[in-house]
Amino acid sequence: KNQVEQSPQSLIILEGKNCTLQCNYTVSPFSNLRWYKQDTGRGPVSLTIMTFSENTKSNGRYTATLDADTKQSSLHITASQLSDSASYICVVSALGASKIIFGSGTRLSIRP
Amino acid sequence: DAGVIQSPRHEVTEMGQEVTLRCKPISGHNSLFWYRQTMMRGLELLIYFNNNVPIDDSGMPEDRFSAKMPNASFSTLKIQPSEPRDSAVYFCATQLAAYRERSNSGANVLTFGAGSRLTVL
């Protein structure tokens, strides 16, 4: 069964600190993995997209990693800012099938 | 480009009423998705169109829900009759290519609208 599991479910950290969000998936055959950021009251916005051949991709203070062997991805946020408070959703697409599977998200809160 | 445009942004209605949500995709995007998001269930795919043709509607919860895409620049999601359990945020998302491609190009990135928050009393 194609599944995407994210952890932790929620996280609170102080402004300026780093954090890492995890995503494990069982989607097969794998096509690509995306991380989205969803601010409260808004639609998700893409942060990164990675295929099986990519290990790391950065977008400013956001760095995503992908281990296609263990089917794990992480999103690392460096020097967090208050504006990073949002839900972060891991999305995995299956190749050759009409499926995009969404994780349930990690709700991140940055405290001053 | 103004992005994916959804309307209305908010709708409050009474049980039994018909609700129509609208979506204007980004020009040139040929795939369109309707999602529903709730706290309990997260984001759920309702239906997916490719080149205006419904490809996968297995996520549509029941016959009360219907979706159309009469042309490349407009889609509607209709609920008739609405029920309180339909209360959710409904998102429309579009992308350039069908997501069967093994690609990390921008074509494979879903662009979401701001959502339509529906409350059925």
Side-chain angles (χ1 to χ4, degrees), chain A residues 29-32 34 36 38 41-46 49-52 54 57 89 93-100 102-103 107, chain B residues 9 33 35 37 39 42-43 45 48 55-56 58 91 95 99-106 108-115 117:
Chain A
F30 174 81
S31 175
N32 60 68
R34 294 167 267 184
Y36 282 83
Q38 184 176 20
R42 306 194 121 171
V45 174
S46 177
I49 179 170
M50 302 171 73
T51 63
F52 70 101
E54 297 177 289
K57 183 166 279 190
I89 305 170
S93 295
L95 182 68
S98 56
K99 286 295 180 187
I100 296 178
F102 284 75
R107 178 167 291 279
Chain B
R9 287 296 312 277
F33 305 77
Y35 288 92
Q37 186 176 40
M39 286 290 291
L43 273 161
L45 176 64
Y48 146 58
I55 303 299
D56 182 357
S58 59
F91 286 103
Q95 70 179 26
Y99 52 29
R100 287 191 293 275
E101 294 180 18
R102 188 190 293 269
S103 169
N104 67 348
S105 72
N108 238 318
V109 175
L110 279 175
T111 301
F112 284 79
R117 180 175 293 277

Side-chain angles (χ1 to χ4, degrees), chain B residues 24-121:
Chain B
K24 182 180 185 325
I26 291 174
S27 177
H29 280 195
N30 64 344
S31 295
L32 183 144
F33 305 77
W34 281 102
Y35 288 92
R36 176 172 66 177
Q37 186 176 40
T38 61
M39 286 290 291
M40 293 294 293
R41 302 170 71 106
L43 273 161
E44 302 174 278
L45 176 64
L46 299 176
I47 188 169
Y48 146 58
F49 292 87
N50 192 41
N51 294 322
N52 311 340
V53 176
I55 303 299
D56 182 357
D57 65 353
S58 59
M60 296 286 263
E62 47 197 276
D63 292 344
R64 297 184 297 106
F65 285 70
S66 62
K68 294 182 180 179
M69 192 164 185
N71 56 61
S73 58
F74 184 66
S75 177
T76 59
L77 177 68
K78 185 175 292 187
I79 308 172
Q80 166 63 19
S82 58
E83 296 182 3
R85 60 193 167 117
D86 301 331
S87 298
V89 181
Y90 291 80
F91 286 103
C92 175
T94 70
Q95 70 179 26
L96 177 59
Y99 52 29
R100 287 191 293 275
E101 294 180 18
R102 188 190 293 269
S103 169
N104 67 348
S105 72
N108 238 318
V109 175
L110 279 175
T111 301
F112 284 79
S116 294
R117 180 175 293 277
L118 173 65
T119 302
V120 183
L121 303 175

